[in-house]
């Protein structure tokens, strides 16, 4: 803008000076000079645009979809391997159904026929040569099928959908842990979910080392059960998902990989505190379940009266959930021996829960 103003102000004076000093036309000389300068800037702009295109040639560019409006509520559970997501989803489903909600429980990858077939491939421990981008795209493809066939119809019908993993797992596993660009993984999944996003994300925090120990313990328990069955398989009730008798391809990754996953989830929680409920998963499963239910009060208000005897939400559990949020704000996380989490700290919002304690006192705000 400054150069443009100077050209308007100084142009006539320069043109007059040229005509006074030389036999050349000042106006024509100025026009020629201006054309040369314009051509030079145009050339520079063309080169810059070419460089930008070259830098972005291998970047994923997908037009994001508009978030969809639906009558139901979508809650996802995230965490490292062995954090207890399946158990907490089952307990929350029981609690919400007792409160009168219609609940659909599902998982990822999987949850729909095509998605389940992709799951078997992605988690097959015998598959050793799968590329990171291939893995990310397969999971996104399974997610698209899952959303179309199960999640969106359930939400449109006004149901509460509880899902074991969703987009945040892709960001943590394929992005933070595998080393792919998180922005690229996010863009691919924006297209896959077609506007369906989790309303609330429950992050079960657990030391990755402890999580892997739980995974091995579970696998050994299931192997023992399989040895006592007639077919060598683990039996479960219809409608549930069969536990594995061996580590799957993700669980078999090393401890360093799972520490990166844990850091990735914490980064996501700090960046999107509006949606996250973070709960310490080291406590007894019933205690964790009460903290989860209290943390979700903002999305699913707690009932005024107790509707499930023995499953009341005590004020102490709400306070414990708030303490967990404060630990993240203070960056107090044990990533294992010699490991520290040095990422920038933000506040993880737990929401406000108004509950009655078991002594029948006035409801409190946590």
């Amino acid at each position: 803008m400054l150069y443009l103003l100077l050209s308007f102000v100084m142009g006539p004076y320069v043109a007059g000076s040229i005509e006074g000093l030389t036999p050349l036309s000042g106006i024509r000389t100025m026009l020629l000079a201006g054309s040369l300068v314009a051509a030079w800037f145009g050339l520079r702009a063309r080169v810059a645009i070419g460089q930008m295109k070259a830098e972005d040639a291998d970047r994923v560019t997908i037009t994001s979809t508009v978030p969809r409006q639906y009558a139901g509520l979508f809650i996802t559970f995230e965490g490292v391997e062995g954090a207890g997501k399946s158990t907490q989803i089952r307990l929350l489903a029981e609690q919400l159904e007792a409160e009168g909600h219609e609940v659909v429980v599902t998982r990822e990858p999987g949850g729909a026929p095509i998605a389940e077939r992709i799951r078997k491939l992605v988690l097959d421990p015998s598959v050793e040569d799968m590329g990171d981008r291939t893995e990310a795209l397969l999971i996104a493809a399974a997610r698209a099928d899952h959303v179309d066939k199960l999640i969106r119809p359930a939400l449109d019908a006004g149901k509460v959908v509880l899902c074991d993993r969703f987009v945040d797992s892709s960001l943590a596993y394929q992005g933070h842990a595998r080393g792919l660009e998180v922005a690229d993984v996010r863009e691919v999944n924006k297209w896959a979910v077609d506007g369906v996003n989790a309303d609330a994300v429950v992050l079960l925090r657990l030391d990755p080392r402890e999580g892997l120990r739980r995974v091995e313990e579970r696998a050994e328990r299931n192997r023992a059960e399989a040895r006592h069955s007639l077919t060598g398989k683990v039996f479960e009730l219809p409608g549930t998902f069969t536990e594995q008798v061996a580590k799957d391809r993700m669980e078999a990754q090393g401890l360093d990989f799972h520490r990166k996953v844990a850091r990735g989830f914490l980064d996501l929680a700090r960046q999107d505190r509006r949606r996250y409920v973070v709960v310490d998963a080291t406590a007894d499963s019933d205690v964790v379940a009460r903290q989860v239910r209290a943390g979700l009060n903002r999305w699913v208000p707690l009932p005024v009266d107790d509707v499930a005897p023995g499953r009341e939400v005590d004020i102490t559990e709400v306070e414990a959930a708030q303490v967990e949020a404060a630990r993240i704000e203070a960056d107090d996380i044990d990533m294992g021996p010699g490991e520290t989490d040095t990422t920038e700290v933000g506040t993880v919002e737990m929401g406000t829960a108004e509950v009655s304690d078991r002594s029948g006192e006035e409801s409190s705000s946590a």
Side-chain angles (χ1 to χ4, degrees):
M1 181 64 71
L2 178 61
Y3 292 134
L4 183 60
L5 291 174
L6 288 176
S7 65
F8 278 120
V9 174
M10 299 300 297
Y13 291 101
V14 174
S17 300
I18 292 174
E19 288 191 354
L21 297 174
T22 67
L24 300 175
S25 169
I27 294 176
R28 291 180 178 177
T29 303
M30 288 296 296
L31 290 174
L32 176 62
S35 299
L36 293 174
V37 171
W40 182 73
F41 276 109
L43 181 61
R44 286 196 61 184
R46 183 178 180 83
V47 171
I49 291 173
Q51 291 176 342
M52 291 173 62
K53 288 182 178 180
E55 292 174 356
D56 292 342
D58 57 350
R59 300 279 295 185
V60 176
T61 304
I62 297 176
T63 303
S64 60
T65 55
V66 178
R68 300 292 182 88
Q69 298 297 321
Y70 35 76
L73 182 69
F74 190 19
I75 301 173
T76 62
F77 279 69
E78 302 287 2
V80 298
E81 304 296 335
K85 298 182 303 302
S86 299
T87 298
Q88 291 307 315
I89 288 174
R90 175 177 57 80
L91 293 174
L92 180 61
E94 293 174 0
Q95 176 72 26
L96 294 179
E97 287 174 348
E99 294 174 10
H101 300 281
E102 191 171 0
V103 181
V104 173
V105 174
T106 186
R107 68 171 180 182
E108 287 209 344
I114 295 175
E116 285 293 327
R117 296 177 70 177
I118 296 175
R119 175 188 177 88
K120 292 180 180 179
L121 174 62
V122 171
L123 298 184
D124 186 346
S126 67
V127 177
E128 299 178 351
D129 58 347
M130 183 181 295
D132 296 340
R133 289 187 302 120
T134 301
E135 178 182 278
L137 291 170
L138 283 172
I139 292 175
R143 182 163 294 133
D145 181 58
H146 189 199
V147 168
D148 290 343
K149 302 293 177 52
L150 190 146
I151 296 176
R152 183 184 289 113
L155 293 174
D156 288 339
K159 300 176 183 179
V160 177
V161 177
L162 305 180
C163 187
D164 186 339
R165 300 200 182 281
F166 200 59
V167 172
D168 298 82
S169 275
S170 288
L171 301 179
Y173 277 78
Q174 284 72 51
H176 287 272
R178 293 294 192 202
L180 299 178
E181 288 289 341
V182 175
D184 290 348
V185 178
R186 191 187 301 275
E187 284 299 313
V188 169
N189 280 278
K190 279 184 180 179
W191 190 47
V193 302
D194 194 23
V196 175
N197 297 298
D199 298 296
V201 180
V202 177
L203 175 59
L204 300 177
R205 259 188 67 189
L206 185 70
D207 181 355
R209 186 186 297 275
E210 169 62 16
L212 293 178
R213 186 197 66 78
R214 292 184 182 182
V215 168
E216 181 57 39
E217 185 179 78
R218 181 193 67 195
E220 178 57 36
R221 183 174 63 251
N222 289 338
R223 284 194 293 268
E225 292 179 5
R227 284 194 293 269
H228 289 84
S229 71
L230 296 177
T231 62
K233 297 180 180 180
V234 178
F235 292 102
E236 292 198 1
L237 295 174
T240 62
F241 299 113
T242 304
E243 295 277 0
Q244 290 129 357
V245 295
K247 289 183 179 180
D248 66 35
R249 186 168 158 273
M250 292 297 180
E251 293 168 344
Q253 301 297 312
L255 179 59
D256 288 342
F257 174 86
H258 291 288
R259 284 174 175 163
K260 292 176 182 177
V261 170
R263 293 193 195 95
F265 278 128
L266 286 178
D267 285 344
L268 293 170
R270 292 176 179 125
Q271 294 165 14
D272 196 4
R273 57 192 178 188
R274 178 183 58 83
R275 293 190 310 137
Y276 266 80
V277 174
V278 184
V279 178
D280 183 356
T282 60
D284 180 77
S285 60
D286 285 336
V287 174
V288 174
R290 289 193 291 268
Q291 293 180 15
V292 169
R293 182 63 189 92
L296 290 170
N297 177 69
R298 179 151 54 101
W299 295 271
V300 191
L302 289 159
V304 176
D305 300 321
D306 293 330
V307 295
R311 293 293 305 281
E312 308 95 332
V313 178
D314 195 318
I315 187 64
T316 57
E317 270 81 43
V318 182
E319 292 172 346
Q322 296 292 348
V323 168
E324 182 64 12
R327 287 184 63 203
I328 291 185
E329 184 177 1
D331 206 20
D332 179 18
I333 175 174
D334 180 14
M335 299 303 297
E339 295 290 331
T340 55
D341 181 24
T342 58
T343 51
E344 183 178 354
V345 178
T347 302
V348 178
E349 185 174 302
M350 300 298 299
T352 301
E354 293 185 358
V355 299
S356 298
D357 68 13
R358 295 180 185 176
S359 61
E361 297 177 356
E362 293 290 324
S363 63
S364 303
S365 180

